[in-house]
Amino acid sequence: MATPTLRQLEYLAAVVDTGSFTRAAEQLHVTQPALSHQIRALETALGGPLLERLPRSVRLTPTGRAVLPHARAALAGADRLQAVARRATGLEEGELEVAAVYSISLGILPPVLRAWHRRHPGVRIRLREYAHADRLQEAMAEGRADLAIGPAPEDWEGPIRELGVEEFTVVLAADDPLADDPLADDGLREGRSEGRTAGSVALGALADRAWVHYAPDNGLADLLDQACARAGFHPRAAVRAEQTSAVPLLAAAGLGPALVPADIIPPQFDGLLLRPDPPIRRTLTAYTRTRPDPLTVAFAELLAERARINSAAAEQPAGHG
């Protein structure tokens, strides 16, 4: 059995409202044979006559009287659907699904989401968070979100927008012996007050330390292991944290050094912050599967405008966390 179309339901309502096939055809700007054909197709789809043709008018059959309220409801629903789509296109309402790795939702997204809510209070954001960039890319490929934010995806066929280059910082306790290093001290005082990295340290100088590490399924665990491997050692774990936000706090508490995205360090942070030497950086991107809709485009533009990323001129590989 064929499914009735909205056009057929519209034709039925018009015939009933005008009381005539001729007047309905004129109102709808179609020929009377075309209108009659669609009404017959609707009756066939619903299994019986809906209209009784009288010499000078038409009247609904019992089946027609049962069908008409639902036909009007379907037409009203279609009108509401179009209105919602127009408002979403105009950024007045809707829902946008955004996916990100944990560190992005901690450091970069909050000011962006605040600005978005102020500009477009009727558009809801649903945030999905992933521990690893590979899981993020898989989720996007499977259609779980409209836009992803994280390290540049591999072998991605959809649009990719670079947002900036993120710096990583080494976190230690404020009373760590490296705090007395004269090469780090001048920048350290300013860095602590502003929650930014200052001074520098070679990772190899921390090879004998036990590190504040990440849970094995966190992409930043891979990042730390790879960075330390380039420095010639494998980091021993003093503790492994499930929550990315806990890592800098544990390091500041003296459990060991940690390597974290500089963007997640809060203002007035009381730990020791040192830049790795050589620097550790990664490019952050926003990407979609296909040509994005207006909501997604608007969010990506705001993200590029408001994302506070510690950008740098050069990039060094830094994993997928």
Side-chain angles (χ1 to χ4, degrees), residues 98-105 108-109 112-113 127-128 130 133 136 140 147-152 161 163 284-287 299-300 303 307 309 321:
V98 177
V101 291
Y102 287 155
S103 59
I104 299 296
S105 61
I108 294 171
L109 270 184
V112 176
L113 295 178
L127 179 61
R128 300 179 182 273
Y130 296 89
L136 174 69
M140 274 300 293
L147 176 141
I149 310 167
R161 181 170 188 166
L163 301 175
L284 296 180
T285 65
Y287 58 97
F299 188 85
L303 185 64
I309 301 174

Side-chain angles (χ1 to χ4, degrees), residues 22 34 36 39 65 71 74 87 104 111 120 134 139 155 165 170 213 236 259 272 279 298 312:
T22 300
S36 298
I39 294 296
R65 288 193 292 274
R87 289 194 293 271
I104 299 296
H120 311 292
D134 289 349
D155 301 322
V165 179
V170 172
H213 216 314
R236 293 182 295 113
L259 183 66
L272 173 63

Side-chain angles (χ1 to χ4, degrees), residues 204-251:
L206 303 170
D208 61 343
R209 306 274 192 109
W211 287 69
V212 178
H213 216 314
Y214 299 88
D217 63 347
N218 190 316
L220 294 180
D222 296 341
L223 186 151
L224 175 59
D225 288 342
Q226 293 166 10
C228 291
R230 290 193 296 270
F233 70 98
H234 182 77
R236 293 182 295 113
V239 61
R240 286 186 179 268
E242 292 285 344
Q243 297 183 21
T244 301
S245 59
V247 170
L249 302 179
L250 294 172

Side-chain angles (χ1 to χ4, degrees), residues 257-276:
L259 183 66
V260 302
D263 296 299
I264 75 169
I265 301 296
Q268 308 305 322
F269 183 70
D270 61 0
L272 173 63
L273 306 176
L274 300 175
R275 297 185 186 92

Side-chain angles (χ1 to χ4, degrees), residues 15 18-21 23 51-60:
V15 171
T18 61
S20 163
F21 276 76
R23 288 191 293 272
L51 296 168
E52 183 180 357
R53 283 77 166 168
L54 301 176
R56 295 186 178 182
S57 66
V58 295
R59 66 186 297 271
L60 288 165

